[in-house]
Amino acid sequence: MPAFMDVHHGMKGITAEQLKEAHKADLAIEKQENVHFTRAWADPESGEVFCLSEAPSAEAVQRVHERAGHKADEIHPVPLSV
């Protein structure tokens, strides 16, 4: 299944607990779109949050994020990884 890296802007000051809760919200509904979020990272200083997922499409990733309450600002395919 294709991999995607998405970016959320404007989350300056996000805490570890808030990141964990947002990730849990995605995990709770990901199966409905055949998406699997594998990891999330955040930079509280810049306000950027990054999520790595496997999904049938970028649109499926966005649907999960929107339903979980945190729409992604960017979604990038990850065609190669090591």
Side-chain angles (χ1 to χ4, degrees), residues 7-72:
V7 184
H8 305 260
H9 301 290
M11 298 181 123
K12 195 167 186 160
I14 189 170
T15 66
E17 187 60 33
Q18 289 170 321
L19 179 63
K20 183 178 176 181
E21 289 304 313
H23 187 61
K24 283 172 56 176
D26 291 328
L27 296 178
I29 60 174
E30 67 180 10
K31 288 181 183 165
Q32 295 169 14
E33 294 288 346
N34 197 28
V35 173
H36 177 59
F37 288 93
T38 58
R39 196 157 179 113
W41 302 265
D43 179 357
E45 190 171 313
S46 72
E48 292 188 323
V49 173
F50 307 90
C51 303
L52 182 64
S53 62
E54 295 177 337
S57 67
E59 293 80 15
V61 172
Q62 187 68 283
R63 284 192 297 270
V64 173
H65 278 321
E66 285 178 349
R67 290 177 53 213
H70 42 263
K71 182 179 177 181

